[in-house]
Amino acid sequence: MKYILVNPLSNNSRGEEALDKVLELVKEEVEVIKVTHINLVDFVSKLNENDEIILVGGDGTINNFVNKLEGKIPSNNVYIYPAGTGNDFLKDVGYEGGLFLLNKYLVNLPKVTVKGKTSYFINGVGFGIDGYCCEQGDKLKAQSESKIDYTSIAIKGLLFHFKKVKATIEVDGQVYNYKNVWIAPTMNGRYYGGGMNMAPNQDRLNPERTVTNVVYKSWSKLAALIVFPSIFKGEHYKKKNMVKVAIGKKIKVTFDRPTPLQIDGETVLDVLTYEVEA
């Protein structure tokens, strides 16, 4: 049996619109279930050996699946069909259409601890103006079902609303201090934020299972704004004076004031520090 677990909340609550396309791909007997209506642990425990799962949603759906199962991924095949807003995971792994097999990407995932809560993440942990963008996006979603323009939010944030911070970054015991920081994410994949190639050299399946911390800093708002679009192509790495990259297994990021943070697009407000363990 193939079970289609659809997330009706994905893609600004339009996740179920992708169901017809999934059913066209799956010719066998299927059962459609809203993932928001079941206990995943109980559901997975009752699967037969040859049963398969098809997730219909985006990055948040994959994140939710892993965390609800506490990282204990079943041996059954687990697929994803994109019905999310950004779908950064699929962009990272070179998705070309159809159903995509997830299993090897769901094991040995890094963990992030924020405000005493530890969870797995798929793509990245954003801290700074990226977290601010998610906070503002959440407010807009509550007001309208229109597509959120995160790039516009980021530009306005750079120019007017978000205030740069001082950051202390600890990577495998080595401590770095930076001023004028706009973003300090830690990445498991290359992409987040709807196509931002924040860590172009990061390989989510690298044998060491290391993650990448990227600090984007500039005392000048104008310089930060001019370089910002280059992040979508990964070309910001060329700006050595503005971008600092560190690779490691244990990363701790601390700001000098509370700032919104996002984990695979899910917002956490008023955060001073986060810790990642790969």
Side-chain angles (χ1 to χ4, degrees):
M1 172 72 79
K2 285 182 168 58
Y3 293 94
I4 298 177
L5 304 186
V6 59
N7 182 1
L9 303 178
S10 64
N11 194 21
N12 294 331
S13 298
R14 295 194 295 270
E16 291 180 90
E17 293 179 5
L19 266 179
D20 288 343
K21 294 180 180 179
V22 178
L23 292 171
E24 289 177 6
L25 293 171
V26 183
K27 305 300 182 182
E28 306 166 40
E29 183 181 1
V30 300
E31 183 176 343
V32 179
I33 303 171
K34 292 183 180 180
V35 72
T36 51
H37 291 181
I38 61 170
N39 182 307
L40 269 175
V41 175
D42 289 344
F43 170 78
V44 168
S45 69
K46 296 174 183 176
L47 290 175
N48 294 319
E49 182 180 354
N50 296 322
D51 289 341
E52 296 185 316
I53 299 171
I54 301 169
L55 300 177
V56 180
D59 300 320
T61 302
I62 303 173
N63 178 293
N64 179 74
F65 182 81
V66 171
N67 281 290
K68 285 290 178 64
L69 295 177
E70 298 181 344
K72 299 172 184 176
I73 307 305
S75 58
N76 307 73
N77 286 343
V78 181
Y79 300 89
I80 183 74
Y81 185 85
T85 305
N87 298 309
D88 288 303
F89 168 81
L90 288 175
K91 185 176 182 67
D92 186 40
V93 298
Y95 173 74
E96 295 181 350
L99 303 178
F100 187 86
L101 185 63
L102 285 174
N103 293 67
K104 70 178 181 179
Y105 299 99
L106 302 184
V107 296
N108 298 322
L109 287 170
K111 296 179 180 179
V112 58
T113 300
V114 181
K115 291 186 172 183
K117 179 182 177 181
T118 300
S119 59
Y120 296 94
F121 65 96
I122 306 297
N123 298 321
V125 179
F127 200 21
I129 198 167
D130 41 9
Y132 163 83
C133 289
C134 285
E135 177 190 27
Q136 298 304 309
D138 290 345
K139 292 178 180 178
L140 291 174
K141 286 178 184 178
Q143 300 169 5
S144 170
E145 294 185 359
S146 300
K147 186 176 181 180
I148 308 300
D149 186 348
Y150 287 99
T151 302
S152 174
I153 295 173
I155 291 172
K156 291 176 182 178
L158 279 167
L159 286 175
F160 307 113
H161 305 298
F162 184 81
K163 308 300 180 184
K164 52 189 180 291
V165 301
K166 295 178 182 178
T168 299
I169 316 291
E170 183 176 341
V171 182
D172 293 342
Q174 183 69 43
V175 178
Y176 307 89
N177 293 296
Y178 299 106
K179 298 178 181 179
N180 304 312
V181 173
W182 295 97
I183 311 175
T186 297
M187 304 295 295
N188 180 50
R190 292 175 295 165
Y191 295 91
Y192 78 159
M196 296 171 65
N197 192 359
M198 180 54 70
N201 297 330
Q202 172 65 18
D203 176 5
R204 65 174 64 240
L205 295 181
N206 75 82
E208 295 79 17
R209 281 300 204 252
T210 51
V211 290
T212 300
N213 177 261
V214 183
V215 175
Y216 182 70
K217 64 184 185 68
S218 172
W219 67 268
S220 167
K221 287 185 177 182
L222 181 59
L225 182 61
I226 290 173
V227 174
F228 185 80
S230 70
I231 295 175
F232 286 89
K233 295 184 178 180
E235 295 177 351
H236 58 300
Y237 266 35
K238 298 176 183 178
K239 301 294 183 179
K240 303 296 184 182
N241 61 322
M242 295 178 63
V243 177
K244 303 298 179 182
V245 179
I247 298 170
K249 290 192 172 185
K250 290 188 177 182
I251 295 176
K252 181 178 181 180
V253 179
T254 303
F255 283 179
D256 66 340
R257 63 175 176 81
T259 304
L261 173 146
Q262 62 88 12
I263 304 170
D264 290 337
E266 298 300 315
T267 313
V268 184
L269 300 178
D270 300 321
V271 176
L272 276 173
T273 187
Y274 74 85
E275 296 183 52
V276 166
E277 184 173 354

